[in-house]
Amino acid sequence: MPELPEVETIARGLASRVTGDVIESVWLGSKPEPLKSAASDIIATLESKRIAGIRRVGKHIVFDLENGGRASTPVSRTSRQKSPKAEMSVPPSTTAQWIVHLGMTGRMLVCQPDQEIEKHTHAVARLASGRELRFVDPRRFGRLSVAHGFQAQGSEPLEVKLDTFIELFRGRKTPIKSALLNQKLLRGVGNIYADESLFRAGIRPRRRAASLTRKVLTRLYAAIQEVLKEAIALGGSSVSDYVDADGEEGFFQLQHRVYGREGEPCLVCKTPIKRIVIGARSSHYCPKCQK
Ligand SMILES: [Zn+2]
C-alpha cells in the first residue's frame, strides 16, 4: 500500500511528465467503486482543463486544474531537477482539483495511446500532447474525485513546525501509535512509517501521547522527518516504476528496522522484535530500545 513517501514520489513523477498538458477528454469505466464524485462531475471538471500542477496532500495526489484551452508545452523530463517546492505550489488561477487516492493497488500511468489498455483500467484522460493518463486499480480501493477548493485536514508531517507538532498530542490519552495514524492530526503517516519513526525515537507504541515530554516529542518529530525523507530519496530513483507504463512494477522499500520483523533480532541490541495490536493495527517494536 503506498504511503506518504511513495505518493510524494508518484506526484513528483507525474508533475514532471504532464504539468502544462491539457485534458481533452475523459473515459470512465463502469465499476462504481473508484468514483468518489459523480462520473458526470468528474468528466465536466476535467475536460478542457490545463494541468497547472500536481502535488501530494497527505496520501492524495492532487492535480490543480485551470481553464486551459490550448496546451502549453509539457514540462520536459530533463527539468525534473528543479525545486519540488516550485512544482508543488498552487497557482493562483487554479479553479478545480482532480484528487486521486491510490488505495492499495492503484497506479496512475502516463501512456502512449497505442499502448495496450491494462485490465482493471478505470479511467483514461486523453491529453493534448497525444498521451494518456490511465488509472489502473485491480483491487479497487483507490478513489477518484474532483473538488473546487480542496482543503485537507491535519498537518503535513514534512512541513509542520515543531511547536505545532508538540501541540497536536497535548491531552491525548490514546497510544502515541494511534495518534500518529490519526489523519486529523498528521496526514499521510501510515503504519510502516509510524512504527519505524517510533523505533528511531525510542518510544513504545503504547505510550500515551499526552505522557510524552517535549524532549521525547522533539525526538519523534526528527525521526518522522528523517524516515520520510529517506524513503522519498529512495523513491526518486525508481519513480519510473509507478508512472511510466513501461516501468517495472513494485514499490521500493526503506530497510525496515522493526516493521514486519516480529521475532527477528533488533538491529541495535539483538532483542527479538515484538508485535502487538493497537486499534486493530499491528505495531512492531523493540522492548529494550523503546521505552
Ligand atoms: Zn533493540
Side-chain angles (χ1 to χ4, degrees):
M1 182 169 205
E3 291 209 30
L4 183 153
E6 291 84 5
V7 179
E8 174 78 26
T9 299
I10 293 164
R12 288 183 187 179
L14 289 168
S16 72
R17 283 160 177 77
V18 300
T19 298
D21 216 330
V22 168
I23 299 173
E24 287 194 329
S25 62
V26 175
W27 170 89
L28 296 174
S30 56
K31 296 277 189 284
E33 298 94 330
L35 307 185
K36 208 175 149 192
S37 301
S40 56
D41 194 12
I42 293 177
I43 291 171
T45 304
L46 264 54
E47 283 188 349
S48 304
K49 292 296 196 314
R50 182 176 171 273
I51 300 170
I54 302 169
R55 60 200 161 106
R56 176 193 60 76
V57 177
K59 281 191 255 188
H60 296 88
I61 300 167
V62 177
F63 289 74
D64 289 301
L65 307 171
E66 58 186 16
N67 292 322
R70 281 182 54 232
S72 61
T73 314
V75 177
S76 76
R77 292 181 58 163
T78 51
S79 66
R80 241 192 289 173
Q81 302 309 323
K82 78 178 182 184
S83 146
K85 272 252 148 47
E87 266 174 28
M88 300 287 152
S89 65
V90 192
S93 56
T94 293
T95 58
Q97 294 82 33
W98 180 21
I99 301 150
V100 178
H101 193 283
L102 298 171
M104 312 247 321
T105 54
R107 282 182 302 144
M108 183 62 86
L109 300 175
V110 181
C111 302
Q112 296 301 325
D114 56 356
Q115 277 172 310
E116 194 181 337
I117 304 252
E118 280 187 46
K119 210 177 161 189
H120 309 296
T121 296
H122 304 294
V124 177
R126 294 179 199 88
L127 304 175
S129 63
R131 298 170 300 169
E132 295 180 349
L133 267 172
R134 296 181 190 166
F135 179 69
V136 182
D137 186 8
R139 294 192 61 185
R140 300 205 295 272
F141 287 107
R143 295 290 178 263
L144 304 177
S145 61
V146 290
H148 302 268
F150 175 68
Q151 291 281 342
Q153 52 184 7
S155 298
E156 271 297 331
L158 287 173
E159 290 168 11
V160 64
K161 297 272 182 291
L162 175 63
D163 285 337
T164 311
F165 177 84
I166 288 170
E167 199 57 37
L168 293 177
F169 305 104
R170 183 191 291 268
R172 298 217 167 250
K173 298 193 171 102
T174 55
I176 183 65
K177 172 68 185 285
S178 307
L180 288 178
L181 295 182
N182 182 344
Q183 301 295 304
K184 288 177 188 159
L185 302 180
L186 283 178
R187 57 187 183 226
V189 177
N191 211 26
I192 296 174
Y193 296 103
D195 279 6
E196 293 297 312
S197 301
L198 287 169
F199 174 75
R200 292 193 190 195
I203 304 166
R204 287 202 184 194
R206 266 219 186 97
R207 286 278 302 275
R208 282 184 178 204
S211 76
L212 300 175
T213 61
R214 183 181 175 90
K215 192 177 154 203
V216 172
L217 284 172
T218 302
R219 234 161 49 212
L220 178 60
Y221 175 81
I224 290 171
Q225 303 229 341
E226 181 186 281
V227 163
L228 293 175
K229 283 176 183 166
E230 276 178 28
I232 290 169
L234 275 175
S237 57
S238 56
V239 60
S240 179
D241 293 354
Y242 320 119
V243 296
D244 291 331
D246 52 359
E248 303 282 312
E249 258 187 80
F251 281 109
F252 62 88
Q253 272 190 340
L254 195 70
Q255 176 66 49
H256 298 154
R257 299 186 190 173
V258 287
Y259 184 83
R261 298 191 64 244
E262 182 185 11
E264 292 177 40
C266 169
L267 299 176
V268 173
C269 73
K270 301 203 162 53
T271 303
I273 298 298
K274 272 197 158 181
R275 176 182 169 276
I276 54 173
V277 176
I278 301 173
R281 308 292 299 274
S282 47
S283 291
H284 308 76
Y285 71 99
C286 171
K288 194 168 168 198
C289 294
Q290 293 171 256
K291 309 281 181 213

